Amino acid sequence: MTKPTSDSEQQLRALYQQRKAQHTAPAGIKRRLLLAHQQQQNNQRHWFKRMTMVSVAAGTLLLLGLSFWQHQSWLNQPMHVAEVELHSLAPQKQSQAISERYAKHYQDYLSQQQILVFHHTKQAVLEHMDDGWQLQTCDHQVVKVSQELVNALAKLNQIDEHLHLGDSVDIAFDESGIILAISASGKFLHC
Amino acid sequence: MSRGLSIKAWFFAPESNEALMQRYSDTGEQLLLEKLYEACGEDLYHFVLTLSDPSLAKDICQQTWLKVMEKKHLYRDSGKFKAWLFTLARNLLIDEYRSRKANLDEIDTLPAAEASMDPDKLLQRFDQALLKLPFAQREAFCLQQEDFSLSDIASITHSNVEAVKSRLRYAKDHLRQQLSGDFETDHD
């Protein structure tokens, strides 16, 4: 039995190295490796070139799409223009109708004016304002105005709403003695 | 003077395989791949040849280097490049044997085809003795001769350090026994 020594280790190592030197790798391995490497590089370059072209094409399409979309949106943008109707250019029929309505209202106004023509006025003092007004003239005549009449005159703006108790007022009557208006008198009543 | 030499050595020191592989992984430069092949190509071929035959060894080596090229991004600087390379080759070889459904016991002894042409008798006997070793012992012995550590060998062969030690002991004992007449050894 041989004893493992460093010498034998070295001899085995030397023999192994001699054996390795005798069995060199075929040159074909390296050749094929370098060929494959070049092919891979070419493929990568080709792929890169292709990707660049695709990117450029996609970018161009995107740009064109964006510009087209912008153009379209500009065309479809709602116009902020105020429409002005020129009445002089409005149809004749409509204008005539308005004129007729105006004439009717004017006639009504004139007839109302006729009705509301004051015949005479009397000066009085406002004595009472709860549940209708009470007015007294200098000749001790008491005029009672119901709340309904006060309200009706107020609606027609024929009554001065800022009157207070004790104020002097002018009472306007028509021909038949109906009260048409009550307003604050400019003169103070002295009986 | 010595400082000048050390600076020169620092500038002109050959780059390690790991640094070359890292650079190749980053840049994909062909020159770096060529340098790596120059550094490890012969060792790898001899290792695979010792575990197979010339035709299969050539095929496995080609596949291994192609894998280095294709999977360069998978290489990490954490380990030795040569160990990574040998692991790739060994895995490919085992896969090839498995695809052929060959039992590793059947390929334990390979015919020493070129050994008969060797004029040196000692080398011839070494060659025959090496090829007669069981597969696991042969690969462990070859890897040790390629300066791999025990842990590296265990990692490459997917086994543990104790098993590697055992295989190496048996392999060397067998070789010494076969070459006992030629070795200048101390006898008990």
Side-chain angles (χ1 to χ4, degrees):
Chain A
M1 182 78 183
T2 55
K3 191 179 179 181
T5 63
S6 61
D7 281 346
S8 69
E9 291 272 349
Q10 280 178 4
Q11 281 173 329
L12 283 175
R13 182 169 282 272
L15 284 168
Y16 182 86
Q17 293 302 326
Q18 279 181 48
R19 184 179 187 272
K20 190 155 77 174
Q22 281 193 344
H23 299 94
T24 54
I29 299 174
K30 188 180 176 183
R31 208 168 40 242
R32 194 180 156 191
L33 173 70
L34 297 180
L35 195 70
H37 186 267
Q38 279 170 0
Q39 277 178 350
Q40 193 194 43
Q41 293 282 318
N42 289 341
N43 286 345
Q44 280 177 350
R45 258 185 235 121
H46 179 70
W47 181 83
F48 180 74
K49 203 182 275 182
R50 207 164 185 175
M51 281 303 293
T52 309
M53 285 170 74
V54 167
S55 304
V56 168
T60 310
L61 277 173
L62 190 69
L63 200 67
L64 282 172
L66 274 173
S67 60
F68 179 73
W69 177 75
Q70 254 189 346
H71 180 68
Q72 283 295 316
S73 62
W74 182 73
L75 284 179
N76 296 332
Q77 203 172 18
M79 302 291 278
H80 296 289
V81 177
E83 283 183 27
V84 178
E85 192 178 294
L86 293 173
H87 289 277
S88 59
L89 297 177
Q92 190 66 23
K93 215 174 181 181
Q94 191 182 346
S95 178
Q96 204 171 352
I98 290 168
S99 302
E100 282 171 4
R101 276 176 65 193
Y102 174 73
K104 193 183 171 213
H105 284 302
Y106 187 67
Q107 284 299 321
D108 288 349
Y109 168 74
L110 287 177
S111 62
Q112 289 289 325
Q113 284 285 87
Q114 287 295 321
I115 291 168
L116 293 174
V117 167
F118 302 153
H119 185 260
H120 63 273
T121 58
K122 265 189 180 178
Q123 205 172 13
V125 176
L126 184 58
E127 286 190 331
H128 192 67
M129 287 181 86
D130 293 331
D131 195 23
W133 291 8
Q134 187 176 311
L135 308 149
Q136 189 173 10
T137 60
C138 274
D139 49 0
H140 300 290
Q141 203 175 7
V142 175
V143 179
K144 283 190 176 179
V145 182
S146 67
Q147 189 61 43
E148 286 78 18
L149 182 59
V150 170
N151 292 339
L153 290 170
K155 271 185 188 174
L156 293 167
N157 292 319
Q158 296 297 325
I159 198 162
D160 196 344
E161 289 181 350
H162 300 290
L163 291 171
H164 300 98
L165 287 175
D167 285 350
S168 294
V169 296
D170 287 332
I171 309 167
F173 296 94
D174 69 350
E175 227 173 350
S176 55
I178 294 170
I179 296 170
L180 297 177
I182 301 170
S183 56
S185 177
K187 299 173 198 170
F188 190 73
L189 181 64
H190 294 284
C191 299
Chain B
M1 184 70 183
S2 63
R3 184 173 290 174
L5 278 173
S6 64
I7 291 170
K8 194 179 172 184
W10 186 75
F11 273 112
F12 296 100
E15 217 171 347
S16 69
N17 291 334
E18 289 71 36
L20 283 171
M21 184 58 204
Q22 196 61 53
R23 275 179 58 205
Y24 175 64
S25 176
D26 294 339
T27 63
E29 271 183 59
Q30 184 177 309
L31 184 69
L32 298 169
L33 185 65
E34 279 187 65
K35 280 185 179 177
L36 285 168
Y37 185 86
E38 293 300 331
C40 307
E42 292 295 336
D43 295 345
L44 181 73
Y45 177 74
H46 182 255
F47 168 68
V48 182
L49 178 71
T50 310
L51 300 174
S52 60
D53 59 74
S55 169
L56 184 58
K58 185 183 172 185
D59 193 35
I60 294 293
C61 285
Q62 277 177 346
Q63 286 184 48
T64 306
W65 283 107
L66 288 176
K67 217 162 194 177
V68 169
M69 195 178 77
E70 288 161 4
K71 310 280 180 189
K72 59 179 182 292
H73 57 281
L74 297 177
Y75 174 76
R76 295 285 173 271
D77 199 18
S78 53
K80 286 181 186 171
F81 167 73
K82 198 173 169 182
W84 183 62
L85 182 73
F86 275 56
T87 307
L88 289 176
R90 199 243 180 205
N91 290 346
L92 283 168
L93 185 66
I94 297 296
D95 287 347
E96 180 62 27
Y97 281 140
R98 279 180 186 151
S99 70
R100 292 179 184 186
K101 293 181 179 172
N103 191 342
L104 286 181
D105 294 335
E106 292 170 12
I107 53 165
D108 270 350
T109 53
L110 292 165
E114 294 174 31
S116 58
M117 291 151 63
D118 195 331
D120 190 343
K121 275 191 176 177
L122 178 61
L123 190 59
Q124 187 182 338
R125 286 177 64 190
F126 171 76
D127 192 44
Q128 286 172 343
L130 181 63
L131 296 178
K132 273 182 186 171
L133 283 174
F135 184 90
Q137 291 178 25
R138 202 182 326 145
E139 71 173 357
F141 176 76
C142 288
L143 289 170
Q144 194 183 44
Q145 297 307 308
E146 294 296 342
D147 293 327
F148 286 112
S149 66
L150 289 174
S151 59
D152 283 341
I153 298 169
S155 171
I156 293 168
T157 58
H158 307 298
S159 51
N160 59 57
V161 174
E162 288 307 313
V164 171
K165 277 184 189 173
S166 169
R167 286 168 194 167
L168 282 170
R169 192 172 61 247
Y170 279 116
K172 285 175 187 173
D173 280 350
H174 175 80
L175 290 171
R176 285 191 197 101
Q177 206 171 17
Q178 293 295 311
L179 305 171
S180 58
D182 302 295
F183 272 14
E184 293 171 4
T185 54
D186 299 328
H187 293 276
D188 293 330

